[in-house]
Amino acid sequence: SGALITGNGSITANGGNGVDIYSAGGGGGRIALYYDQKTYTGSLAAQGGCGTCTERGGAGTIYEKDHDEPRGALTIENSGAGEWTDIGTTYSLPSTLDNLRLNGSALVNLNSSSDLEVFSGSFKIPTSSSLYTNSNFRLNETTAISIDGNLYQNSPMQATGTTTMDISGQLRLSNSYTFGSGSHITVENGGLLNTQDNTTTKQYYVDLDVEHFTVDTGGTVNLTGKGYTGGPARTTGNGPGAGIGGFADAGGAAYGGDGGDADAAGGDGYGSIILPVDLGSGGGGGHHRVGGAGGGHDRITATGTMTINGSIQNNGNAPTGGSDPSDKGGAGAGGSVLLSGALMTGTGTMTANG
C-alpha cells in the first residue's frame, strides 16, 4: 500500500514447481495493491506451479484498488491448465468489482452465497479459461461479452446492458439468466451454446429474447440428450412419453411421434404442434442398457434477423451400456425448437430427431 506505487520490476507469489513427473505443483498465492496513484509497469504473477509435475496448482489472486475508487479489480491468471481457484465471501471477496480478469488458463469457481457484481464495459473469458458461477453474477454496464473459453452458468446471471455476445467457446446455461433485449448473440465457428442436463422435470432450456441471433458455419446450439433422462436397466424412462423398460428389449421414447415398440411398449406422443416447448422423453432401460435421453428445448426470439448457417441440434440419444447386442434399451425422443424472427435466413441445419 502506498500513495504512489511505481517501478518496472516484478512481484510474484507463484506456487512451487514439482521436482518430477510424480509430484504436483503448489497453488499460486495472493497479491493485493492499494494506492493513490500507480505508475508501476512491471509484472505481477500469482500462478500455480508445475515444472515437470503431473498436475499444476491453481492460480492465485491479484487484487488492485485505487484508494479514491469505490471498487477494485481482480485478476486470476495461470500459464497452464491446473486446479481450480475458488473466489467468494469465504475469501473476503468484495461483492462488487470494477473488473474481473481471467487470463491464460485460469479455472475459476464463484462459490455459493457469494453474489458478485462486476462494473466493466466488456467481459471476456479467454480460450483456455473457465468460469463456474454458483452465486448471483451480474455484469453491470457491460456491453460486450466474449466467451472464447467456458462459462458455466449455474446460478442467476444478469447482463441486461449487453449489446454483443460472441461465443467461440462454450456457454452452458441453467435457468434465471437475462441478457440485453437489444443484443446480438453470435455462436461463432467452433462455438457451443447448450444447457445443463435435465433429469425427471423440465428445468433447463435455452430461452432468449434478443435483437439479432446468429449461428455461424461451424457453430452449434446443441441440446442433444438434454431432455428427460432414459430409464436405468429394466426401468421405464422419464417424461410424459417415456419408453417402457423391460427385461429384454425396451420401448423407445415419444414426443412429436410415438416411440417404437419392442418387447416393451414405446411412449405416446404429446405436446403442441404450433408452439413446441417440451423436452423429448427418455427411452426405457433394457436388461442391461440405460435408455437414451431425449433432446432439449430452444425458444429464441429475435426482433431483427435470425441467421442459422451452423446447426441447431436437439436430438434424442441412443441407449448406452451392455455388451449383448440382443439386450436393447430404448432411444430418446427428439426435443423441440421454437424460433421467431423478423427475418429468418441462413443455410444451416435444424434437427430434433429421435
Side-chain angles (χ1 to χ4, degrees), residues 68-282:
D68 295 328
E69 298 297 329
R71 298 176 293 271
L74 178 64
T75 300
I76 301 172
E77 179 175 0
N78 223 357
S79 57
E83 293 294 331
W84 289 82
T85 301
D86 290 330
I87 60 174
T89 54
T90 301
Y91 311 101
S92 303
L93 176 73
S95 61
T96 61
L97 292 171
D98 260 348
N99 209 341
L100 173 63
R101 305 185 189 96
L102 277 60
N103 295 329
S105 300
L107 305 178
V108 180
N109 179 52
L110 176 63
N111 293 164
S112 60
S113 302
S114 300
D115 295 354
L116 179 61
E117 189 170 8
V118 179
F119 293 77
S120 61
S122 62
F123 179 74
K124 180 175 183 177
I125 299 180
T127 300
S128 299
S129 291
S130 296
L131 173 65
Y132 272 86
T133 62
N134 296 304
S135 286
N136 292 330
F137 182 58
R138 181 177 179 85
L139 294 173
N140 200 337
E141 302 176 358
T142 301
T143 58
I145 298 176
S146 297
I147 303 173
D148 301 328
N150 300 292
L151 174 56
Y152 303 100
Q153 180 256 329
N154 297 331
S155 291
M157 176 178 175
Q158 299 84 37
T160 55
T162 303
T163 57
T164 61
M165 178 187 295
D166 297 324
I167 305 166
S168 62
Q170 176 184 196
L171 172 59
R172 192 189 73 182
L173 299 171
S174 61
N175 50 28
S176 300
Y177 48 86
T178 305
F179 305 116
S181 59
S183 61
H184 184 177
I185 295 180
T186 302
V187 183
E188 300 178 336
N189 181 25
L192 171 62
L193 173 62
N194 63 6
T195 68
Q196 289 193 56
D197 294 339
N198 288 281
T199 54
T200 61
T201 60
K202 180 184 174 184
Q203 290 183 282
Y204 310 118
Y205 50 94
V206 174
D207 188 19
L208 297 173
D209 290 283
V210 295
E211 183 172 2
H212 304 294
F213 185 82
T214 301
V215 183
D216 288 339
T217 301
T220 306
V221 180
N222 192 341
L223 302 189
T224 294
K226 298 293 186 178
Y228 295 108
T229 52
R234 303 177 294 282
T235 305
T236 296
N238 293 293
I244 305 301
F247 282 85
D249 299 345
Y255 179 20
D258 291 347
D261 293 329
D263 290 339
D268 295 326
Y270 57 95
S272 170
I273 292 173
I274 61 174
L275 288 174
V277 296
D278 294 296
L279 304 174
S281 290

Side-chain angles (χ1 to χ4, degrees), residues 233 286-290 319-329:
H287 187 61
H288 292 102
R289 295 195 179 191
V290 176
T320 59
S323 57
D324 186 343
S326 65
D327 171 22
K328 299 180 176 66

